[in-house]
PDB file of all heavy atoms in Angstrom:
ATOM      1  N   PRO B   1       0.828  -1.202   0.000  1.00 83.00           N
ATOM      2  CA  PRO B   1       0.000   0.000   0.000  1.00 83.00           C
ATOM      3  C   PRO B   1       0.868   1.260   0.000  1.00 83.00           C
ATOM      4  O   PRO B   1       1.983   1.242   0.500  1.00 83.00           O
ATOM      5  CB  PRO B   1      -0.791  -0.100   1.301  1.00 83.00           C
ATOM      6  CG  PRO B   1      -0.604  -1.482   1.815  1.00 83.00           C
ATOM      7  CD  PRO B   1       0.637  -2.020   1.173  1.00 83.00           C
ATOM      8  N   SER B   3       0.874   5.746   0.530  1.00 82.00           N
ATOM      9  CA  SER B   3       0.184   6.845   1.208  1.00 82.00           C
ATOM     10  C   SER B   3      -0.412   7.822   0.197  1.00 82.00           C
ATOM     11  O   SER B   3      -1.033   8.802   0.580  1.00 82.00           O
ATOM     12  CB  SER B   3       1.150   7.576   2.139  1.00 82.00           C
ATOM     13  OG  SER B   3       2.248   8.072   1.387  1.00 82.00           O
ATOM     14  N   PHE B  60       3.008  -6.317 -17.299  1.00 95.00           N
ATOM     15  CA  PHE B  60       3.848  -6.882 -16.246  1.00 95.00           C
ATOM     16  C   PHE B  60       4.399  -8.240 -16.658  1.00 95.00           C
ATOM     17  O   PHE B  60       5.548  -8.563 -16.385  1.00 95.00           O
ATOM     18  CB  PHE B  60       3.032  -7.008 -14.954  1.00 95.00           C
ATOM     19  CG  PHE B  60       3.743  -7.724 -13.840  1.00 95.00           C
ATOM     20  CD1 PHE B  60       4.622  -7.041 -13.018  1.00 95.00           C
ATOM     21  CD2 PHE B  60       3.523  -9.074 -13.604  1.00 95.00           C
ATOM     22  CE1 PHE B  60       5.278  -7.695 -11.974  1.00 95.00           C
ATOM     23  CE2 PHE B  60       4.169  -9.732 -12.568  1.00 95.00           C
ATOM     24  CZ  PHE B  60       5.053  -9.038 -11.755  1.00 95.00           C
ATOM     25  N   GLY B  61       3.566  -9.026 -17.332  1.00 92.00           N
ATOM     26  CA  GLY B  61       3.976 -10.362 -17.747  1.00 92.00           C
ATOM     27  C   GLY B  61       3.631 -11.413 -16.712  1.00 92.00           C
ATOM     28  O   GLY B  61       4.435 -12.303 -16.430  1.00 92.00           O
ATOM     29  N   GLU B  62       2.421 -11.321 -16.167  1.00 90.00           N
ATOM     30  CA  GLU B  62       1.972 -12.292 -15.156  1.00 90.00           C
ATOM     31  C   GLU B  62       2.069 -13.699 -15.724  1.00 90.00           C
ATOM     32  O   GLU B  62       1.570 -13.984 -16.803  1.00 90.00           O
ATOM     33  CB  GLU B  62       0.534 -11.988 -14.737  1.00 90.00           C
ATOM     34  CG  GLU B  62       0.064 -12.782 -13.557  1.00 90.00           C
ATOM     35  CD  GLU B  62       0.824 -12.474 -12.277  1.00 90.00           C
ATOM     36  OE1 GLU B  62       1.034 -11.292 -11.977  1.00 90.00           O
ATOM     37  OE2 GLU B  62       1.212 -13.436 -11.592  1.00 90.00           O
ATOM     38  N   LEU B  74       9.912  -5.831 -26.795  1.00 95.00           N
ATOM     39  CA  LEU B  74       9.940  -4.509 -27.431  1.00 95.00           C
ATOM     40  C   LEU B  74      11.368  -3.980 -27.497  1.00 95.00           C
ATOM     41  O   LEU B  74      11.817  -3.497 -28.545  1.00 95.00           O
ATOM     42  CB  LEU B  74       9.028  -3.542 -26.671  1.00 95.00           C
ATOM     43  CG  LEU B  74       8.984  -2.105 -27.184  1.00 95.00           C
ATOM     44  CD1 LEU B  74       8.470  -2.052 -28.617  1.00 95.00           C
ATOM     45  CD2 LEU B  74       8.109  -1.256 -26.258  1.00 95.00           C
ATOM     46  N   PHE B  86      18.132   1.791 -27.286  1.00 95.00           N
ATOM     47  CA  PHE B  86      16.827   1.790 -26.636  1.00 95.00           C
ATOM     48  C   PHE B  86      16.880   0.998 -25.337  1.00 95.00           C
ATOM     49  O   PHE B  86      17.441  -0.089 -25.289  1.00 95.00           O
ATOM     50  CB  PHE B  86      15.751   1.174 -27.542  1.00 95.00           C
ATOM     51  CG  PHE B  86      15.407   2.040 -28.711  1.00 95.00           C
ATOM     52  CD1 PHE B  86      16.096   1.936 -29.896  1.00 95.00           C
ATOM     53  CD2 PHE B  86      14.377   2.975 -28.602  1.00 95.00           C
ATOM     54  CE1 PHE B  86      15.773   2.738 -30.979  1.00 95.00           C
ATOM     55  CE2 PHE B  86      14.057   3.779 -29.674  1.00 95.00           C
ATOM     56  CZ  PHE B  86      14.750   3.669 -30.863  1.00 95.00           C
ATOM     57  N   SER B 115      11.720   9.077 -22.635  1.00 96.00           N
ATOM     58  CA  SER B 115      11.484   9.901 -23.820  1.00 96.00           C
ATOM     59  C   SER B 115      10.238   9.441 -24.556  1.00 96.00           C
ATOM     60  O   SER B 115       9.667  10.185 -25.339  1.00 96.00           O
ATOM     61  CB  SER B 115      12.705   9.890 -24.744  1.00 96.00           C
ATOM     62  OG  SER B 115      13.184   8.594 -24.925  1.00 96.00           O
ATOM     63  N   SER B 139      -9.134  -4.967  -3.847  1.00 68.00           N
ATOM     64  CA  SER B 139     -10.491  -5.081  -4.357  1.00 68.00           C
ATOM     65  C   SER B 139     -10.805  -3.906  -5.275  1.00 68.00           C
ATOM     66  O   SER B 139     -10.074  -2.919  -5.308  1.00 68.00           O
ATOM     67  CB  SER B 139     -11.470  -5.080  -3.175  1.00 68.00           C
ATOM     68  OG  SER B 139     -12.803  -5.131  -3.628  1.00 68.00           O
ATOM     69  N   ASP B 153     -14.891 -11.416 -14.293  1.00 51.00           N
ATOM     70  CA  ASP B 153     -13.443 -11.439 -14.197  1.00 51.00           C
ATOM     71  C   ASP B 153     -12.810 -12.473 -15.114  1.00 51.00           C
ATOM     72  O   ASP B 153     -11.604 -12.492 -15.283  1.00 51.00           O
ATOM     73  CB  ASP B 153     -13.017 -11.712 -12.755  1.00 51.00           C
ATOM     74  CG  ASP B 153     -13.364 -10.556 -11.835  1.00 51.00           C
ATOM     75  OD1 ASP B 153     -13.629  -9.441 -12.336  1.00 51.00           O
ATOM     76  OD2 ASP B 153     -13.386 -10.782 -10.621  1.00 51.00           O
ATOM     77  N   ARG B 154     -13.584 -13.352 -15.704  1.00 53.00           N
ATOM     78  CA  ARG B 154     -13.048 -14.398 -16.562  1.00 53.00           C
ATOM     79  C   ARG B 154     -13.518 -14.291 -18.007  1.00 53.00           C
ATOM     80  O   ARG B 154     -13.189 -15.125 -18.818  1.00 53.00           O
ATOM     81  CB  ARG B 154     -13.439 -15.766 -15.998  1.00 53.00           C
ATOM     82  CG  ARG B 154     -12.705 -16.080 -14.722  1.00 53.00           C
ATOM     83  CD  ARG B 154     -13.361 -17.208 -13.958  1.00 53.00           C
ATOM     84  NE  ARG B 154     -12.664 -17.507 -12.733  1.00 53.00           N
ATOM     85  CZ  ARG B 154     -12.760 -16.797 -11.624  1.00 53.00           C
ATOM     86  NH1 ARG B 154     -13.522 -15.727 -11.576  1.00 53.00           N
ATOM     87  NH2 ARG B 154     -12.101 -17.141 -10.544  1.00 53.00           N
ATOM     88  N   LEU B 164     -19.365  -1.219 -22.964  1.00 86.00           N
ATOM     89  CA  LEU B 164     -20.263  -0.597 -23.939  1.00 86.00           C
ATOM     90  C   LEU B 164     -21.531  -0.057 -23.283  1.00 86.00           C
ATOM     91  O   LEU B 164     -22.004   1.036 -23.625  1.00 86.00           O
ATOM     92  CB  LEU B 164     -20.617  -1.597 -25.047  1.00 86.00           C
ATOM     93  CG  LEU B 164     -19.471  -1.965 -25.987  1.00 86.00           C
ATOM     94  CD1 LEU B 164     -19.875  -3.128 -26.892  1.00 86.00           C
ATOM     95  CD2 LEU B 164     -19.036  -0.766 -26.800  1.00 86.00           C
ATOM     96  N   GLY B 170     -23.092   7.036 -20.665  1.00 88.00           N
ATOM     97  CA  GLY B 170     -22.262   8.214 -20.418  1.00 88.00           C
ATOM     98  C   GLY B 170     -21.636   8.224 -19.035  1.00 88.00           C
ATOM     99  O   GLY B 170     -21.358   9.281 -18.482  1.00 88.00           O
ATOM    100  N   HIS B 172     -18.641   6.631 -18.014  1.00 81.00           N
ATOM    101  CA  HIS B 172     -17.191   6.468 -17.871  1.00 81.00           C
ATOM    102  C   HIS B 172     -16.600   7.766 -17.341  1.00 81.00           C
ATOM    103  O   HIS B 172     -17.100   8.858 -17.629  1.00 81.00           O
ATOM    104  CB  HIS B 172     -16.533   6.126 -19.212  1.00 81.00           C
ATOM    105  CG  HIS B 172     -16.703   4.703 -19.614  1.00 81.00           C
ATOM    106  ND1 HIS B 172     -16.140   3.662 -18.928  1.00 81.00           N
ATOM    107  CD2 HIS B 172     -17.386   4.153 -20.651  1.00 81.00           C
ATOM    108  CE1 HIS B 172     -16.466   2.521 -19.524  1.00 81.00           C
ATOM    109  NE2 HIS B 172     -17.225   2.795 -20.561  1.00 81.00           N
TER     110      HIS B 172
END
Side-chain angles (χ1 to χ4, degrees):
S3 59
F60 173 84
E62 189 65 46
L74 178 61
F86 289 89
S115 46
S139 177
D153 292 343
R154 290 163 180 78
L164 291 171
H172 282 294

